[in-house]
Amino acid sequence: MRSTGTQWAAISAGALLASLLAAPAAHAVPGEAAAEPATRIDQKALDWRPCEDLEPVGGTSLECAAITVPLARTTGDERVDDLAGTVEIALSRAPATGTAEHTVLVNPGGPGSAGRMWAAHTHNRMPEELRRTHDVVAFDPRGMGASTPAVNCDPGFFAPVRRDTVPADAMAERALLADAEAYAAACAEDAGPLLDHMRTEDTAHDMDDIRIALGLEQIDYLGYSYGSYLGTVYASLYPRSVRALVLDSVVNPDNPWYESNLVQSRALDRSAGNFFDWVARHDDTYGLGADGKTVAGAYYDLRAELGEAPDRDTVGPTELEGAVIVVAYSGRTWPAVAGALAARINEDDPEPLLALHEAYGDDVDSDPGYGGYLAVQCTDALWPRDWDTWRSDAREVHRDAPFMGWHNIWYNAPCLFWEGEPDPWFQVGDGPYEHPAYDGDVLLVHATEDGATPVEGAHALRDRLSGSSLVVEEGGVTHGVALTGNTCVDEAVVSYLRTGVLPRRRSQGPDLTCDARPEPRPRTAQSAPRAPVDRLGPVGLETSR
């Protein structure tokens, strides 16, 4: 799955004294020997200070702190050979406006996304009744953002103009494959041993250290997109540490990352079709065609043209894809993307498209997020070890879903060469070799037309979490729904976080259906959006670089 993240500067909070304690034993996996307790560091007196590297958001200023945790989180693993190694996890907090009764830990998705700014975003989106009673804490996961050490690989990888993701011949394919191998090698050289300890399970253990550092018996958790998988793993490992669990834009628990990306490419294509149809409905504004097929044809013609002559030696076909993909993540981006395409196609004006690339596309600053993304995904699950399998799947998915079929393959291709050792997918359920699923109350939230995480994943997780209720935004096209302005959805989320009451679970989901918000209105202004979209985060919220 695609992601971009923002690398924030290191925070200045001083190092804290630490002592090693034994963690509660995790649930045993059927058929396997019980794992020994993992070690963790207990720091119950966090040194909260004003954040020197994070600007206030909407008037909300954040406090920052850090905790130190073991590099190796899972004992009984042959890779755990240095329990003295540590990493530092950077935290942020938006304090409750009244007396804090609960703390909600938030993760915006990714993987690869720095998360600390989301404490402010989430705080601002909460109604006052929750702001009074809830501290909001966010963190940069290990290896990302201001947490140290951080994964950095090769910023030059994103220098324009990049190779066309759709290889014209065998030579072009070999060149793209060589690029993927070189990037994986650069990550291994920079990150070293950290790459063996970047799995979702590692971060889940870090989350419980955060809970302990906060002095809490239980936490609330709000996780978007990849954060839904992180929350699923955390609740499986630490079921007694969870008070409330909100999982939004759900990752399908039955699809490890390689399979998930193939499914995602088809979903992204369907979402692009929704965008093309919307542009066609507003042909009087954009002039790109009166039906979705014609609009799609205009887009692919532009893509081919940029392959012959990139705009300003900056935007070629791959840069175009990297910017336009946001239409599959947020309907709010549709007017800006449509305006940029119309200006370029109808008026031969490249400026709005260049601005779109600057706002949404990959550049040298994308390297930490991309490296962090790969560091998690490449070791979170097993990947095919021969390129023939990848090529065969790429050709099939491109035939069915050309919008991002090959692009998504190359985005993940470094996993074929990854230095870190992969482990099997952390699957929850009651089957052989599965981890016990959390059986407490869970609120699942999903938009039915989400292109990044298809809605089938929410139904699959509902089936595995016996205490869950599923709220869907029927017809919703935005990735990340909770606390983004749909009154029906937000009321369910707020009620659950405040009282623990879920929508009544039915014999089959969804358990509550909310109407989607109105479609975006077309506009002729050609300015780029004000803020980039985190492609696996809650794009209903605004973020900033």
Side-chain angles (χ1 to χ4, degrees), residues 296-388:
Y299 168 78
Y300 288 114
D301 286 346
L302 173 61
R303 189 191 185 286
E305 181 181 337
L306 293 173
E308 296 294 328
D311 280 349
R312 304 280 176 82
D313 292 325
T314 300
V315 177
T318 298
E319 287 75 23
L320 176 70
E321 289 174 337
V324 174
I325 191 177
V326 293
V327 302
Y329 286 75
S330 174
R332 295 174 59 205
T333 67
W334 287 6
V337 175
L341 294 176
R344 178 59 178 79
I345 293 170
N346 296 332
E347 303 170 23
D348 198 27
D349 178 6
E351 294 302 326
L353 190 58
L354 290 164
L356 198 76
H357 165 67
E358 183 176 354
Y360 288 162
D362 292 316
D363 56 25
V364 296
D365 292 332
S366 303
D367 175 58
Y370 183 44
Y373 163 90
L374 292 170
V376 175
Q377 290 229 335
C378 295
T379 57
D380 239 2
L382 305 179
W383 294 73
R385 304 309 301 172
D386 64 285
W387 174 244
D388 288 343

Side-chain angles (χ1 to χ4, degrees), residues 258 262 387 390 393-394 397 404-413:
Y258 179 80
L262 298 177
W387 174 244
W390 291 66
D393 289 338
V397 75
M404 286 289 155
W406 266 111
H407 188 114
N408 219 359
I409 288 289
W410 293 118
Y411 199 83
N412 293 279

Side-chain angles (χ1 to χ4, degrees), residues 15 22 42 48 83 109 150-151 165 180-181 201 252 284 287 343 351 361 390 397 400 405 421 452 461 528:
D42 183 12
W48 293 108
L83 291 179
V151 177
T165 58
E181 183 175 14
E201 187 175 354
N252 194 322
D284 55 340
E351 294 302 326
W390 291 66
V397 75
D400 299 339
E421 184 69 24
L461 188 59

Side-chain angles (χ1 to χ4, degrees), residues 102 104-106 122 125-127 129-131 133-134 220-224 243-249 441-446 469-473 480-503 512 514 517 541:
H102 306 290
V104 57
L105 187 64
V106 62
T122 303
R125 287 288 179 164
M126 285 178 166
E129 61 182 305
L130 286 187
R131 288 199 296 268
T133 59
H134 278 69
D220 294 357
Y221 176 78
L222 171 60
Y224 294 89
R243 173 185 172 269
L245 195 66
V246 181
L247 308 180
D248 188 315
S249 304
D441 294 340
V442 182
L443 183 63
L444 308 177
V445 183
H446 213 109
S469 291
L470 171 61
V471 178
V472 299
E473 185 184 44
V481 185
L483 304 179
T484 63
N486 184 314
T487 301
C488 173
V489 174
D490 290 350
E491 285 179 348
V493 173
V494 171
S495 176
Y496 173 57
L497 289 175
R498 185 171 55 84
T499 68
V501 175
L502 289 170
L512 174 64
C514 298
R517 288 158 287 185
L541 306 178

Side-chain angles (χ1 to χ4, degrees), residues 521-536:
R521 296 179 179 179
R523 64 172 184 261
T524 56
Q526 305 302 325
S527 59
R530 291 175 295 170
V533 166
D534 179 347
R535 296 175 195 158
L536 275 186

